[in-house]
Amino acid sequence: TGRVASRSPNLQNISASREKDIAKVLGEAYQSPLRSIFVAPPGWVFVEADFTGAELFAMALMSASARMIDDCLSTSKYKHDDERYIDIHSQVAVAAFGLTGIRATKKGLEKAGYPTIRDLAKRLTFGLAYGRSDDAMLRGIQEEGFDATMEQVKAVKRVLFERYPELKSFFEACYQRPENPGWMMNAFLRSRRFQAVNDDLSDLARQASNYPIQSVVGDGLSLALRNLHRYPERYDAYGELKYKLSLQIH
């Protein structure tokens, strides 16, 4: 997919849940025991930046869903308290769980006493972006501590595909690509071939649904990092900007 990997140690995945578990063992003095290892040099500070909802934008782009594109763009156009701001995860959660009279926002769900169902819908939506099966998504969210059922997994998928029917068509087309024509290309013209081993197309179908989304996010982030790296030489003639890229956590 073109995304960067990290190992020994994996600095891309410092789990927040692991932080909490370790903090319980070490005591209250160590609230972020893993993250506290990273210290900026004297006179410098760490700045963390994030592409919010990058996979959602990629899914909207690759499926060409006009409604999903508009919903994604609303998050950059409007503030959270604006009625025109569309929180996709909250919208899906409210519909999937049959809730009424609740504003479909993160704060609205928290105020109504449903603080976890948005996170559940979010993880299931991203599970689709990672090409995970229903069983794999259910195991994953249960391992994270969610009291979820297979019926809820299917309900979230159903609502998501009803809201964005082009998304369902997109995934169904992806599942066929490894067999015919045997290759795929993303929006940045990155191509990938698929070759079945022992005629096992099931795993290739999962990879094919994952590839166009993750590769778009990876290539988009690489372009952003390149632009950030080259920014001073283009726009900082007097050398007033002093920064350096430390780590890509994706």
Side-chain angles (χ1 to χ4, degrees):
T1 62
R3 299 186 74 166
V4 175
S6 175
R7 64 181 63 179
S8 299
N10 180 2
L11 298 180
Q12 295 179 327
N13 188 17
I14 307 298
S15 170
S17 59
R18 289 284 305 279
E19 288 273 51
K20 294 178 182 178
D21 293 339
I22 297 174
K24 289 179 181 178
V25 176
L26 298 180
E28 295 182 358
Y30 300 91
Q31 291 303 309
S32 299
L34 296 179
R35 285 169 173 78
S36 65
I37 295 172
F38 306 100
V39 181
W44 292 74
V45 294
F46 281 127
V47 176
E48 180 181 350
D50 183 27
F51 271 139
T52 302
E55 284 83 1
L56 289 178
F57 274 89
M59 284 192 284
L61 171 68
M62 299 304 294
S63 66
S65 169
R67 183 180 185 182
M68 192 172 190
I69 290 173
D70 287 341
D71 288 350
C72 287
L73 290 176
S74 75
T75 62
S76 58
K77 289 181 179 179
Y78 310 113
K79 295 182 179 180
H80 287 260
D81 55 355
D82 193 309
E83 292 184 355
R84 293 169 294 181
Y85 181 98
I86 304 298
D87 183 342
I88 292 177
H89 302 308
S90 295
Q91 294 276 350
V92 171
V94 167
F97 287 84
L99 304 178
T100 58
I102 296 176
R103 188 177 180 189
T105 63
K106 184 177 182 179
K107 288 185 178 180
L109 287 170
E110 291 175 350
K111 186 176 181 180
Y114 300 97
T116 62
I117 64 171
R118 181 187 181 276
D119 287 337
L120 176 60
K122 178 179 179 180
R123 281 163 172 75
L124 292 176
T125 301
F126 284 138
L128 286 174
Y130 287 109
R132 293 171 183 159
S133 66
D134 292 355
D135 290 333
M137 287 193 288
L138 180 61
R139 286 195 304 270
I141 57 180
Q142 287 178 341
E143 289 172 359
E144 292 185 39
F146 288 94
D147 185 16
T149 65
M150 180 57 73
E151 288 73 20
Q152 292 171 335
V153 172
K154 293 183 179 297
V156 169
K157 284 183 62 177
R158 174 182 54 79
V159 169
L160 191 66
F161 289 153
E162 287 176 353
R163 186 179 180 88
Y164 311 115
E166 299 88 352
L167 195 60
K168 182 178 181 181
S169 300
F170 164 73
F171 281 120
E172 288 176 346
C174 286
Y175 298 147
Q176 306 302 319
R177 297 288 294 191
E179 190 171 10
N180 182 26
W183 62 276
M184 300 182 76
M185 182 177 292
N186 76 359
F188 291 101
L189 305 184
R190 177 188 291 274
S191 61
R192 171 180 174 174
R193 295 186 181 276
F194 296 90
Q195 183 175 358
V197 178
N198 298 325
D199 296 325
D200 182 13
L201 292 172
S202 59
D203 187 56
L204 290 184
R206 179 195 64 78
Q207 294 178 37
S209 64
N210 168 275
Y211 171 75
I213 298 168
Q214 299 304 320
S215 64
V216 162
V217 174
D219 288 342
L221 184 56
S222 295
L223 287 172
L225 289 172
R226 185 198 65 175
N227 292 339
L228 182 60
H229 177 71
R230 298 176 62 183
Y231 186 89
E233 68 184 51
R234 291 188 174 188
Y235 304 105
D236 186 29
Y238 298 101
E240 295 177 348
L241 286 174
K242 297 187 182 301
Y243 65 84
K244 55 184 177 181
L245 301 178
S246 179
L247 179 66
Q248 176 184 337
I249 312 178
H250 223 321

